[in-house]
Amino acid sequence: QVQLVESGGDSVQAGGSLKLSCSASGFTFSTLWMYWVRQAPGKAREWVSMISSDGRTTNYEDSVKGRFTISRDNARNTVYLQMNSLKPEDTAMYYCAADRRLRWYYSPAPERELSYWGQGTQVTVSS
């Protein structure tokens, strides 16, 4: 059974940092492309970042470029999202998701594209 479990969400002041983790089980982690998606209150889910199965390719949504860094450790079946210089507009539920294919921005709705999802971890940034 595929399982993704996020952790690391918290409440921080603007300008602060957080590192999210997503632990995966139930499938061969090294074969999966991994994604971070977020959903702010009252808004649709949006793409944040992705990393290829081998870790060589990454992508970021424009508003987080230069502030967020995605990485993975295939030996630990874990993907990370380091978030620096956090802004109030980064406040959202952050979801880890996975798929066997590259699906980055195939549509504006990541929930239509990605096969496996975690339950989410809340990030709140206060000004």
Side-chain angles (χ1 to χ4, degrees):
Q1 182 178 357
V2 174
Q3 188 171 16
L4 299 172
V5 179
E6 302 96 333
S7 61
D10 206 344
S11 296
V12 296
Q13 297 257 332
S17 297
L18 285 174
K19 187 173 185 176
L20 306 183
S21 299
C22 172
S23 178
S25 61
F27 49 78
T28 305
F29 182 73
S30 60
T31 66
L32 292 172
W33 294 65
M34 299 300 296
Y35 302 80
W36 286 98
V37 172
R38 67 186 179 186
Q39 186 170 22
K43 295 189 176 181
R45 290 190 183 187
E46 64 174 3
W47 302 92
V48 175
S49 186
M50 62 135 276
I51 187 166
S52 59
S53 57
D54 62 5
R56 293 181 180 180
T57 302
T58 59
N59 274 308
Y60 300 91
E61 192 265 332
D62 285 347
S63 70
V64 308
K65 283 181 181 176
R67 301 188 297 121
F68 291 12
T69 303
I70 191 171
S71 61
R72 67 189 294 159
D73 184 339
N74 284 351
R76 296 179 182 271
N77 289 359
T78 302
V79 63
Y80 305 97
L81 186 68
Q82 177 67 47
M83 306 187 296
N84 298 327
S85 302
L86 282 161
K87 303 176 181 180
E89 51 264 43
D90 295 318
T91 295
M93 183 71 78
Y94 282 72
Y95 297 93
C96 172
D99 201 278
R100 301 187 188 283
R101 308 158 295 172
L102 170 62
R103 307 303 295 173
W104 177 255
Y105 267 106
Y106 270 47
S107 81
E111 63 271 20
R112 297 180 188 172
E113 304 296 336
L114 303 178
S115 298
Y116 308 110
W117 290 81
Q119 293 300 305
T121 186
Q122 178 67 39
V123 172
T124 302
V125 184
S126 58
S127 57

